[in-house]
């Protein structure tokens, strides 16, 4: 019997690792424009607002695809949807490598967002299928942690590649990795033990609407959504586009130091993910309290950086990327809240709804920063001043105010629902 269990575990970890590598590659492609922002502005001769449009479009597609992808996974299984995402990402990055006009580059980033959207939900579904329930929170955090290493691979190495190899060859090399992982996915990944592909029943539009409405009515789903919304956008915006220009032009750092700060932020995500994965299952009643504490620390450090006279010292900027980095894995708490608030037949739709939160906030912030930079930069161009960056980064306070208000609102409703409908469960959770 122990041999059977061991074989099952080896199969589970093999499936998870290959799927995880596809997710890591998706994060790499998503983040690759962060260190290439200034090069892209020069290559395509575009303004800050136009540069932000790349990331805006990518995030918009990602957010819009979350619920459809969840439904596709229910219908066709995670393996086929994940393979489609990997191939889409590969083709999109090849197109981005050869793009020589702004319009062609926009089309390529559109498909980067589409392929990216097909990865994370699929990996979570495979984790929920292959691992025991008691291991799911930790494996889910590890998934987010390892996936964020894609951001590190898109920082210093991509900076070096762009400097040594140029735009086209750098992006072609990155795209080629997708071919290898797609082959590994076909060979190794299965939807369930003993089953290569699982096909669900066809769903009518009426059934889809009813499922989504039921998931959204659940206050735990909304609490998960606003948790994801409020914790992720600061780190995502720094990693995807504006961190590198902010550190170089706004704070006067060298290219190398800016890349190291972005790498440090990813390293913090790697460490913080497992720690939260161990803490959260032990304190389920206080998940939203932990989230509010993390958001408060991010707001406090950003306030110190923006209020510092002149350029902020390096130690404070390092502290900024540390607290912002913790916000990345903290967003995973939203999925755990959704998991414990919805029945299994609504899990995919609830996950899709929650996963939209952080990316909607990031989308709004990326665009707002670009618009404010153009507004506050005398004479236009891409020589942004520290003052312009202070104005632009201050837009975050509007999103934090909205997110904290909604977290508090739905935390009260979620707790009241548990107390009214499941008093015994309420007592166990409180203990």
């Amino acid at each position: 019997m122990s041999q059977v269990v061991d074989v099952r575990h080896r199969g589970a970890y093999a499936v998870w690792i290959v799927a995880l590598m596809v997710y890591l590659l998706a994060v790499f492609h998503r983040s690759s424009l962060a260190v290439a922002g200034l090069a892209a502005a020069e290559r395509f001769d575009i303004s800050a607002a136009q540069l932000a449009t790349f990331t805006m479009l990518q995030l918009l597609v990602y957010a819009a695809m979350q619920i459809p992808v969840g439904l596709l996974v229910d219908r066709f299984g995670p393996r086929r949807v994940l393979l489609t995402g990997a191939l889409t990402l590969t083709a999109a990055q090849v197109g981005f490598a050869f793009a020589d006009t702004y319009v062609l580059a926009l089309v390529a980033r559109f498909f980067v967002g589409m392929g990216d959207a097909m990865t994370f939900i699929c990996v979570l579904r495979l984790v929920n299928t292959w691992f025991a329930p008691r291991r799911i929170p930790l494996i889910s955090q590890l998934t987010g942690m390892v996936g964020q290493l894609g951001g590190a691979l898109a920082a210093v190495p991509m900076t070096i590649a762009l400097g040594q190899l140029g735009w086209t060859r750098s992006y072609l090399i990155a795209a080629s990795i997708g071919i290898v992982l797609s082959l590994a996915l076909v060979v190794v990944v299965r939807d369930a033990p003993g089953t290569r592909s699982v096909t669900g029943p066809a769903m009518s539009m009426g059934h889809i609407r009813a499922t989504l409405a039921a998931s959204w009515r659940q206050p735990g789903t909304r609490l998960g959504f606003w948790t994801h919304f409020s914790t992720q956008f600061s780190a995502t915006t720094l990693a995807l586009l504006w961190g590198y220009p902010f550190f170089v032009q706004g704070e006067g750092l060298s290219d190398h130091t800016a890349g190291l700060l972005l790498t440090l932020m990813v390293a913090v995500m790697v460490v913080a993910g497992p720690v939260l994965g161990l803490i959260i299952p032990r304190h389920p009643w206080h998940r939203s309290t932990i989230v509010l504490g993390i958001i408060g620390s991010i707001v406090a450090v950003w306030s110190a950086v923006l209020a510092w006279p002149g350029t902020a010292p390096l130690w404070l900027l390092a502290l900024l990327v540390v607290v912002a980095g913790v916000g990345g894995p903290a967003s995973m708490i939203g999925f755990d809240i959704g998991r414990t608030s919805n029945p299994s037949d609504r899990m995919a739709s609830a996950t899709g709804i929650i996963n939209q939160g952080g990316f909607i906030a990031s989308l709004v912030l990326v665009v707002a920063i670009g618009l404010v930079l153009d507004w506050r930069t005398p004479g236009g161009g891409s020589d942004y001043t520290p003052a312009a960056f202070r104005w632009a980064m201050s837009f975050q306070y509007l999103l934090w105010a909205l997110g904290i208000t909604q977290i508090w609102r739905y935390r009260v409703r979620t707790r009241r629902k548990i107390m009214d409908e499941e008093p015994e469960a309420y007592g166990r959770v409180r203990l």
Side-chain angles (χ1 to χ4, degrees):
M1 181 68 178
S2 62
Q3 291 180 343
V4 174
V5 173
D6 289 342
V7 170
R8 168 70 179 276
H9 279 311
R10 283 200 297 270
Y13 282 106
V15 168
W16 176 58
I17 288 172
V18 172
L20 183 59
M21 291 302 100
V22 176
Y23 174 51
L24 185 149
L25 182 65
V27 176
F28 172 89
H29 290 323
R30 178 198 307 168
S31 306
S32 62
L33 195 57
V35 295
L38 298 179
E42 181 179 351
R43 179 181 177 87
F44 303 115
D45 190 24
I46 54 178
S47 67
Q50 289 174 307
L51 180 60
T53 303
F54 282 129
T55 305
M56 176 198 72
L57 179 63
Q58 183 179 321
L59 291 175
L60 181 62
V61 173
Y62 184 98
M65 286 288 292
Q66 288 309 294
I67 292 176
V69 166
L71 297 171
L72 286 172
V73 170
D74 286 338
R75 179 69 176 89
F76 298 106
R79 176 178 174 271
R80 282 180 279 196
V81 177
L82 188 60
L83 178 60
T84 302
L87 294 174
T88 302
L89 278 168
T90 300
Q93 284 296 72
V94 169
F96 197 57
F98 287 109
D100 56 2
T101 66
Y102 180 55
V103 173
L104 289 177
L106 279 177
V107 172
R109 296 314 286 185
F110 174 91
F111 285 102
V112 168
M114 181 173 292
D116 185 14
M118 297 181 187
T119 58
F120 184 64
I121 291 179
C122 293
V123 179
L124 283 187
R125 172 60 68 86
L126 290 169
V127 168
N128 290 335
T129 301
W130 281 89
F131 291 93
R134 62 185 175 82
R135 299 183 63 84
I136 290 174
L138 179 58
I139 298 297
S140 296
Q141 278 289 353
L142 288 173
T143 298
M145 176 198 79
V146 177
Q148 293 309 313
L149 288 174
L153 297 176
V156 175
M158 195 65 179
T159 302
I160 296 173
L162 286 167
Q164 298 295 322
L165 303 176
W167 180 280
T168 300
R169 283 201 288 176
S170 296
Y171 275 100
L172 282 179
I173 292 171
S176 65
I177 302 172
I179 299 174
V180 177
L181 287 180
S182 296
L183 292 174
L185 198 157
V186 170
V187 173
V188 176
V189 174
R190 291 174 290 167
D191 283 344
T195 304
R196 180 165 294 275
S197 297
V198 173
T199 302
M203 292 180 287
S204 66
M205 288 302 300
H207 177 74
I208 291 173
R209 285 194 296 267
T211 299
L212 295 178
S215 295
W216 184 243
R217 282 196 302 268
Q218 173 59 249
T221 301
R222 299 196 190 192
L223 177 58
F225 175 91
W226 290 109
T227 294
H228 200 266
F229 177 99
S230 306
T231 50
Q232 180 180 311
F233 64 77
S234 189
T236 299
T237 301
L238 289 176
L240 282 184
L241 185 61
W242 291 119
Y244 187 80
F246 171 69
F247 292 133
V248 173
Q249 296 182 323
E251 296 297 333
L253 300 181
S254 66
D255 295 353
H256 178 70
T257 304
L260 287 177
L261 283 178
L262 293 176
T263 303
L264 173 62
M265 185 169 66
V266 175
V268 170
M269 294 179 182
V270 170
V271 174
V275 174
L276 289 174
L278 293 172
I279 292 174
I280 294 305
R282 299 178 183 179
H283 304 284
W285 189 254
H286 300 290
R287 289 174 294 187
S288 58
T289 303
I290 294 171
V291 166
L292 290 171
I294 291 172
I295 297 171
S297 67
I298 297 172
V299 174
V301 178
W302 261 114
S303 298
V305 169
L306 297 178
W308 197 276
T311 57
L314 183 59
W315 66 264
L316 183 56
L317 296 176
L319 181 60
L320 173 65
V321 298
V322 167
V323 296
V326 174
S331 67
M332 298 288 291
I333 299 174
F335 297 114
D336 195 60
I337 295 172
R339 179 180 63 85
T340 56
S341 302
N342 288 275
S344 58
D345 61 337
R346 292 208 309 261
M347 197 60 63
S349 61
T351 299
I353 290 171
I354 293 169
N355 204 27
Q356 289 182 317
F359 292 95
I360 290 174
S362 300
L363 168 64
V364 172
L365 182 58
V366 163
V367 176
I369 289 174
L371 292 174
V372 174
L373 283 175
D374 283 342
W375 169 49
R376 300 300 302 178
T377 300
S382 58
D383 293 329
Y384 312 123
T385 64
F389 270 109
R390 280 179 169 77
W391 276 88
M393 293 303 179
S394 296
F395 188 86
Q396 294 178 98
Y397 290 100
L398 296 178
L399 300 179
W400 283 319
L402 173 61
I404 291 171
T405 300
Q406 294 294 80
I407 288 173
W408 189 267
R409 178 185 178 192
Y410 286 106
R411 136 193 177 116
V412 172
R413 292 190 183 186
T414 302
R415 290 183 171 187
R416 184 182 298 122
K417 183 177 178 64
I418 295 174
M419 288 187 288
D420 292 344
E421 298 182 2
E422 304 176 72
E424 293 183 1
Y426 164 71
R428 289 196 302 271
V429 171
R430 287 287 290 164
L431 290 174

